[in-house]
Each structure stands twice: as C-alpha cells, then as structure tokens.
Amino acid sequence: MSQYREIITKAVVAKGRKFTRSNETICPDQNPSSILGCWIINHHYTAKKNGKKVHISGSFDISIWYSYNKNTKTGVKTEKVQYTDVVNLKYRDPDFLDDREIVVRVVQQPNCIEACINGDGQKIVVEVEKEFFVEVIGETKVVVAVSPDGRADDDDWFNDVDDDDLHEIQPDFIMEYEK
C-alpha cells in the first residue's frame, strides 16, 4: 500500500491585481466657475474570465457640485461612467483541472483624486483611481502522506504537563538565600 494519497480539492490556482487611474470628462449644464465637491457613488461591476485574463466591466456615478455665473449660483451634475478593466492572471498551479470560478475583490473603490476645470472653462476633468484583486478557484491535486497505522508521527503530543503532574511538584525545594 502506498504511503501517499492524491486528493482532488478546490484551491486558488491563479491571482491577479489591477490598479487603474483614469481621467473622466464631465460636461455641466453651465460653464463652471469653481468646483465645490466631487463624489463617486453607485459602483457596480461584473467579471468574466477569458483565457488567462479576467475582464471586469462596471459603472459608477460621478457627482460634481460646482458654482457658475461668477460664483453666484451652484449646480450638481451627475454622469454615469462605464469602464472595462483587464486583469492579467499569474497561475501558480499549471496542473489545475478546472478554473471557471473567480472571486473579485475591490481593494480601492473608485475614488476622486482631483477635479479641475479644463482650459476652455466649459468641462470638468475628474481623475479617478480604483484597484481590484482577482483569485481564480480551480480543482487541483494535493498529495498527502499517509501513516500506515493511522496515527500521525508526532512525538511532542504527549510531552505536555498535566494538572495531576503539577500537584506533585514540591514548592519548598528552593532554599532562601542567606545574607
């Protein structure tokens, strides 16, 4: 009988990470005088594996609060931004059996780094960053050692001190140091 067994299990067989920084142009209804705030909300995405890459398609809303008419009035402009990011995968296990299950985590939600009025004074350019971490789960083989008698070879298992052993210790064996 062999001393090893092959077990088929699910494990992470590939990983990938993608950081992106992009500039999005927003066209407000009036020519902006200054930008009072910028928020990115409603982030949604889906992911699909294609070969050794994962395509993440999603969208988010950019809301810009701005002043116009020489800083005498304010307005809010919201635009939905669509994106597609491609994450390259690094495979750790070349002998995987199945790799159709993917797990995508957002490390950094879409976030506004800077918002400024462009040179012609009619549009607002928003710098956005986001980051994803992708794991691919697949079936793979694990080889484990098998003990012939069904027990682990662990000599340290019985070297712990029991409570009964503690009662047998004589605390008076240490003599007080005399001066």
Side-chain angles (χ1 to χ4, degrees):
M1 186 164 159
S2 174
Q3 300 297 321
Y4 296 95
R5 296 284 187 273
E6 291 181 345
I7 298 173
I8 295 178
T9 186
K10 287 192 171 203
V12 176
V13 295
K15 292 182 181 184
R17 188 178 207 113
K18 178 77 177 223
F19 174 83
T20 57
R21 189 172 273 181
S22 62
N23 289 326
E24 308 297 337
T25 303
I26 308 296
C27 300
D29 299 329
Q30 300 83 13
N31 289 344
S33 301
S34 63
I35 298 167
L36 305 173
C38 180
W39 296 270
I40 299 178
I41 58 174
N42 299 328
H43 181 220
H44 303 285
Y45 63 91
T46 59
K48 191 173 190 178
K49 187 175 170 307
N50 186 2
K52 292 190 175 188
K53 297 179 182 198
V54 172
H55 295 261
I56 301 172
S57 299
S59 66
F60 52 83
D61 295 337
I62 298 179
S63 295
I64 301 277
W65 180 31
Y66 63 97
S67 68
Y68 61 95
N69 199 13
K70 297 183 182 176
N71 292 322
T72 59
K73 298 186 181 199
T74 64
V76 175
K77 176 68 175 181
T78 301
E79 280 193 20
K80 182 181 276 308
V81 174
Q82 306 280 338
Y83 69 88
T84 300
D85 285 336
V86 179
V87 181
N88 294 321
L89 297 173
K90 293 182 178 83
Y91 277 82
R92 176 169 290 160
D93 184 358
D95 299 324
F96 63 90
L97 304 173
D98 180 22
D99 68 342
R100 284 181 246 149
E101 184 180 343
I102 58 172
V103 177
V104 177
R105 283 187 283 248
V106 180
V107 176
Q108 170 68 54
Q109 290 285 346
N111 186 34
C112 173
I113 301 302
E114 184 179 17
C116 56
I117 301 168
N118 73 345
D120 66 5
Q122 297 177 356
K123 299 174 185 172
I124 298 172
V125 178
V126 179
E127 186 177 359
V128 177
E129 71 176 8
K130 60 188 177 306
E131 186 174 11
F132 293 99
F133 180 70
V134 177
E135 291 179 320
V136 177
I137 311 297
E139 288 186 356
T140 187
K141 283 185 187 177
V142 178
V143 178
V144 296
V146 177
S147 175
D149 58 1
R151 286 186 271 148
D153 187 20
D154 192 0
D155 294 335
D156 295 333
W157 184 259
F158 297 104
N159 286 340
D160 292 336
V161 177
D162 287 340
D163 289 340
D164 295 335
D165 295 335
L166 290 176
H167 293 295
E168 296 175 11
I169 295 176
Q170 296 292 331
D172 298 329
F173 78 96
I174 299 176
M175 299 178 68
E176 190 173 305
Y177 178 73
E178 295 180 28
K179 293 184 179 184

